Amino acid sequence: MKKILMVTSETVPFAKTGGLADVVTALSIELRKMGHDVRILMPRYYHIDREGFKKHAEALGIWLGKGEEWTAVYEGILPDSDVPVYFLDHERFFGRDGIYGHRADEGFKDNAARYSLLSRGAFQLCRMLHWIPDVIHTHDWPSAPACYLLKKEEQNSGFADTKGILTIHNIGYQGVFSLDDARYLQPEIDMLNLSTLEFSGALNFLKSGIITADKITTVSPTYAEEIKRHDFGFGMDGLLNYRNEDLSGILNGVDYSEWNPETDKYIEPDNFSVKKISGKAAVKKKLQKEMGLEVKQKTPLIGIVTRLVDQKGTVELFSPGSGAIYSICRDMNVQVVVLGSGDSWCEEELNSLSEKLPNFAVYIGYNNRLAHMIEAGSDFFLMPSRYEPCGLNQIYSLAYGTLPIVRNTGGLADTVENYNPENADGTGFVFDDLRPDVIYNVVKWVVETWEEKRENIRKMRDRAMKKRFTWESSALEYLKVYED
């Protein structure tokens, strides 16, 4: 049995801005099922209700900068499990709206102090609990400094046998701050420690973890290779090549108890399976009606559920005057439905397109029921990502027989097999270059296949629905990393 502490800024259902939160929760539950003592530490943000949590009698004194900060500790559990979750309760740092900032594109000015408190607090929590983990598993930049602190301070203070793991969920976010903020991690910075913490004249949280973690993982095998390249590494490619022997990619799993067309509560009573597919057409009809599209079973329906940000290919897809989607809807016998929110220019353009194009519909925001409807009722699912560490929507799409149209990058490349017209092999449609004309041409290929080779579509759909990417398999891969 391994003792594992997950140190994280997000955990579903308590706090989420992206896939990191889902991974921490699902992986922790799966490891716990396998008999390991897994626990989670995270901040108690303002929106997390303390009611029902146990308050520990002992407060934590956590050294930060020039003195101690005192935090309360609350304890809860992940729903439908027995995984303990410990919350650092510090009103000045976490008692505010937002996780990293009030807006997605503007972080809090004291984030270096806030998340240094989290990393330092991990060791104080373990001392309070009289529980020393075998592994401290950190996730992205907010907790990466825990690996640094383990190596620089704590392995001589009771954590000699503890190993540090860093999982990079998205290398585009690195926790970059003023070098003055290094005082929160190290009272006196010598040149050796400065070289571990500094990058391009700034404090870099993620770099501190990349250099000091015993092992580094990321969320798909292809992404592990991509981030060693200059065009994907966001400046960390040199370090990751240096740490190559300690770097591995482990594909995220999927929670099939939630994303399963046979049991999905959001599409009742039209649930379907690979052997009984008729319900899919019924969901498509309901989706077309709800989104104000003409009900036409013979017209292929393409779904998109995404954050409207550059990483997701929004410029090439939706940019006014040059984006592919306008030409696709204008020229082809196809329908497109989009669910998402993000950059204001993109939201405005999508609303404009929905007024101009009768075969294009959009919902700005997020709606979980509608996301399930789109996955279930669409015929195809478009993900033209610039980069995609793992991606989950393409895996959901496979389970629902909604064939993915994806760029050949990251986890998309690891989960979707390209269509072969000669023998109908494949589970989706894959393209390489992210350009409007390439997106246009691949969708044209999809529509032509739908119209001329429908039997091939059926064969691909059957094959896609039988694919499985489980958390059990992923957890076993993480256990191998822990053992190493």
Side-chain angles (χ1 to χ4, degrees):
M1 181 189 75
K2 289 279 182 291
K3 293 186 288 184
I4 304 155
L5 179 65
M6 300 282 181
V7 186
T8 180
S9 54
E10 304 179 30
T11 306
V12 166
F14 304 111
K16 174 179 176 175
T17 65
L20 182 159
D22 299 291
V23 172
V24 172
T25 297
L27 177 59
S28 298
I29 291 173
E30 196 61 46
L31 290 169
R32 191 81 170 185
K33 287 179 184 175
M34 294 177 175
H36 300 282
D37 185 0
V38 185
R39 309 184 188 191
I40 298 172
L41 172 66
M42 67 174 294
R44 189 197 76 81
Y45 302 109
Y46 181 72
H47 69 269
I48 300 174
D49 191 352
R50 289 175 291 206
E51 185 158 354
F53 294 163
K54 168 189 172 184
K55 183 178 182 181
H56 283 259
E58 185 179 345
L60 291 187
I62 302 171
W63 180 89
L64 198 69
K66 296 182 179 179
E68 278 188 315
E69 295 286 343
W70 291 88
T71 75
V73 177
Y74 286 84
E75 181 179 346
I77 60 169
L78 288 181
D80 303 317
S81 79
D82 58 352
V83 177
V85 183
Y86 300 96
F87 297 90
L88 289 185
D89 191 47
H90 189 286
E91 186 68 21
R92 181 161 60 89
F93 283 159
F94 303 122
R96 61 183 80 163
D97 291 329
I99 294 177
Y100 307 112
H102 291 304
R103 295 171 49 193
D105 58 351
E106 186 177 333
F108 292 124
K109 296 186 186 307
D110 59 349
N111 272 347
R114 297 171 76 230
Y115 290 105
S116 294
L117 186 82
L118 174 65
S119 288
R120 286 195 165 279
F123 301 98
Q124 294 298 80
L125 174 73
C126 293
R127 292 186 177 97
M128 184 189 81
L129 297 174
H130 304 290
W131 180 84
I132 304 299
D134 301 304
V135 172
I136 291 179
H137 191 156
T138 67
H139 297 268
D140 271 352
W141 70 264
S143 56
C147 293
Y148 170 84
L149 294 167
L150 176 64
K151 280 288 187 294
K152 299 296 181 180
E153 294 182 9
E154 300 293 352
Q155 287 194 324
N156 296 322
S157 304
F159 293 83
D161 296 323
T162 300
K163 301 301 180 185
I165 309 292
L166 169 64
T167 293
I168 299 172
H169 298 262
N170 190 332
I171 202 166
Y173 301 92
Q174 298 184 2
V176 178
F177 308 103
S178 165
L179 271 179
D180 292 339
D181 291 330
R183 68 185 187 276
Y184 298 125
L185 297 175
Q186 201 75 34
E188 295 181 7
I189 299 292
D190 56 32
M191 290 306 296
L192 180 61
N193 288 331
L194 182 62
S195 68
T196 305
L197 297 171
E198 181 269 341
F199 183 75
S200 294
L203 172 64
N204 189 300
F205 272 28
L206 188 67
K207 179 188 174 183
S208 75
I210 290 174
I211 289 180
T212 56
D214 291 286
K215 295 288 180 181
I216 304 164
T217 70
T218 190
V219 290
S220 70
T222 296
Y223 192 58
E225 294 300 314
E226 287 178 339
I227 60 177
K228 292 185 291 183
R229 290 166 28 194
H230 178 71
D231 51 337
F232 281 94
F234 286 86
M236 295 292 112
D237 44 293
L239 288 174
L240 290 166
N241 277 287
Y242 178 74
R243 296 296 315 271
N244 183 53
E245 290 189 5
D246 298 313
L247 171 65
S248 59
I250 301 173
L251 195 67
N252 285 342
V254 164
D255 182 359
Y256 286 105
S257 65
E258 179 179 359
W259 295 94
N260 184 342
E262 296 185 54
T263 58
D264 191 332
K265 64 183 180 181
Y266 294 109
I267 63 171
E268 292 176 348
D270 302 311
N271 299 90
F272 57 92
S273 67
V274 67
K275 293 182 179 179
K276 189 178 179 182
I277 198 71
S278 59
K280 186 172 179 67
V283 180
K284 179 178 179 179
K285 181 178 180 179
K286 288 181 179 178
L287 179 60
Q288 288 170 322
K289 284 185 175 180
E290 180 172 340
M291 298 304 294
L293 297 171
E294 188 176 351
V295 176
K296 299 167 74 174
Q297 283 294 337
K298 292 184 178 180
T299 297
L301 176 59
I302 297 175
I304 301 171
V305 178
T306 187
R307 287 183 294 120
L308 302 175
V309 294
D310 180 63
Q311 179 204 333
K312 301 299 182 179
T314 52
V315 172
E316 291 75 11
L317 198 56
F318 301 124
S319 184
S322 61
I325 207 72
Y326 179 81
S327 299
I328 287 169
C329 291
R330 180 194 62 196
D331 299 346
M332 301 181 201
N333 179 30
V334 68
Q335 294 177 332
V336 176
V337 58
V338 179
L339 167 64
S341 63
D343 293 340
S344 57
W345 75 262
C346 195
E347 292 183 359
E348 291 169 8
E349 177 63 13
L350 290 177
N351 283 325
S352 175
L353 287 171
S354 67
E355 295 174 1
K356 297 174 184 175
L357 299 165
N359 55 344
F360 181 88
V362 62
Y363 181 106
I364 299 298
Y366 185 74
N367 181 308
N368 194 39
R369 180 194 62 81
L370 184 56
H372 281 251
M373 289 283 289
I374 291 172
E375 288 287 7
S378 299
D379 300 298
F380 303 96
F381 194 93
L382 180 57
M383 291 182 71
S385 301
R386 190 171 307 282
Y387 66 94
E388 194 66 63
C390 178
L392 290 174
N393 280 104
Q394 83 280 10
I395 304 179
Y396 302 154
S397 299
L398 293 170
Y400 286 79
T402 300
L403 300 179
I405 309 167
V406 301
R407 183 162 177 261
N408 187 22
T409 185
L412 304 179
D414 291 323
T415 52
V416 181
E417 301 158 28
N418 195 23
Y419 167 56
N420 183 341
E422 299 300 320
N423 55 16
D425 275 353
T427 56
F429 298 82
V430 183
F431 61 97
D432 292 321
D433 296 331
L434 182 56
R435 302 198 314 265
D437 63 306
V438 174
I439 297 172
Y440 180 94
N441 287 329
V442 76
V443 173
K444 183 179 179 182
W445 179 34
V446 168
V447 173
E448 288 173 350
T449 305
W450 171 271
E451 293 175 344
E452 299 169 11
K453 296 184 177 181
R454 189 71 64 87
E455 183 58 30
N456 285 5
I457 296 292
R458 281 192 281 268
K459 289 178 181 178
M460 293 172 69
R461 180 176 282 172
D462 288 351
R463 189 180 300 112
M465 293 180 75
K466 293 174 183 175
K467 293 286 182 181
R468 283 295 178 268
F469 300 89
T470 67
W471 269 112
E472 181 180 7
S473 299
S474 302
L476 290 171
E477 291 295 314
Y478 277 104
L479 283 174
K480 289 179 185 177
V481 174
Y482 298 161
E483 291 290 346
D484 287 345

